[in-house]
Amino acid sequence: SSTYRDGSFSDEYSYNGIGFTVGLISSNLAQLIKLNDIKDLRIGITYSNKSTIDADTVNNSTTIIGTISNSSGKISTKLPYRFGAGLSLQFSDYLLAVDYLYQPFNQFTIDNKRLNELKNLQKISLGMEYRKSELRSHSYWEQVILWGGLSYEKTQYNINNKSIDMIAVYSGFSLPLGLESTIDFAFQFGKRGTTENNLLRENIYKFSIT
């Protein structure tokens, strides 16, 4: 005949820290090495530093007599550095771009403890864009920009001794609104994960207008 009331438990984390990201892009290397068939050739790199983020943690219990803070403390999270490199190549009316991203999540720690579920992140992307070189001399529909690409990513997650990978394709087009402005329509389809070892495979659909 006893009456029970629901209780709830929550963990709160308040993070604070500082980090930086720097990038560098080259000038047109096609002019430097005199490639006549290539209009523009550039390389770029980005780097995010290894940073430490401190977190204030509180464990709360909410019952019929109110909310009680059971425990509190501070923990330190260390984020690994991140490195990216890319190359863009323009010839005729086409632009080709290749990007690579790397982040060693095996160096990620929480309270000086490493997580077995994390491994190094790697991602490579390939994209192509088509646009007319001389916009002023063509009709409106000839000024439409077309683009597409694909990417393969070995994510930082390793669950049940199985790597979680993702592959995605992208497509879209841009409609001109003026000499410098466009409205962009983009679509992405991707597959992430696997059904092996009692895991989940996701089908990802994403549509955007910018």
Side-chain angles (χ1 to χ4, degrees), residues 43-192:
I43 59 175
I45 58 173
T46 63
Y47 176 80
S48 299
N49 71 308
K50 183 178 180 179
S51 58
T52 299
I53 297 178
D54 295 322
D56 295 323
T57 66
V58 180
N59 176 262
N60 295 321
S61 300
T62 302
T63 66
I64 189 174
I65 61 175
T67 299
I68 301 173
S69 295
N70 297 321
S71 61
S72 63
K74 288 181 176 289
I75 61 172
S76 179
T77 299
K78 293 184 178 180
L79 300 176
Y81 72 90
R82 182 174 58 192
F83 173 79
L87 179 144
S88 68
L89 176 69
Q90 185 177 4
F91 54 95
S92 184
D93 297 331
Y94 297 91
L95 174 69
L96 179 67
V98 180
D99 290 302
Y100 174 76
L101 179 66
Y102 175 78
Q103 191 168 14
F105 269 94
N106 62 353
Q107 301 178 15
F108 178 91
T109 62
I110 297 179
D111 203 19
N112 293 321
K113 297 177 182 178
R114 294 188 177 181
L115 303 181
N116 295 328
E117 294 82 9
L118 293 181
K119 61 181 182 58
N120 295 342
L121 164 70
Q122 296 187 77
K123 181 179 181 179
I124 187 168
S125 306
L126 173 68
M128 178 172 284
E129 177 185 279
Y130 170 81
R131 77 165 74 192
K132 287 288 187 179
S133 302
E134 300 295 333
L135 296 180
R136 297 176 186 269
S137 60
H138 295 86
S139 68
Y140 177 85
W141 293 111
E142 289 179 311
Q143 298 178 40
V144 173
I145 304 170
L146 305 175
W147 35 271
L150 56 90
S151 67
Y152 175 72
E153 179 179 359
K154 296 184 73 67
T155 75
Q156 65 267 38
Y157 304 113
N158 185 60
I159 303 175
N160 292 349
N161 295 319
K162 191 67 179 178
S163 175
I164 306 300
D165 301 334
M166 176 175 176
I167 187 170
V169 293
Y170 311 84
S171 65
F173 60 92
S174 300
L175 301 177
L177 300 178
L179 292 178
E180 301 294 338
S181 301
T182 62
I183 181 170
D184 308 322
F185 299 85
F187 178 75
Q188 171 193 347
F189 171 70
K191 286 182 175 291
R192 178 170 54 198

Side-chain angles (χ1 to χ4, degrees), residues 7-26:
S8 63
F9 305 89
S10 65
D11 293 324
E12 298 179 1
Y13 300 88
S14 299
Y15 292 96
N16 61 85
I18 190 170
F20 67 86
T21 299
V22 295
L24 179 68
I25 188 169
S26 73

Side-chain angles (χ1 to χ4, degrees), residues 26-46:
S26 73
S27 59
N28 187 0
L29 300 179
Q31 297 177 350
L32 181 64
I33 57 181
K34 298 180 180 180
L35 299 175
N36 297 328
D37 296 332
I38 299 177
K39 294 182 180 180
D40 196 279
L41 174 63
R42 300 176 190 268
I43 59 175
I45 58 173
T46 63

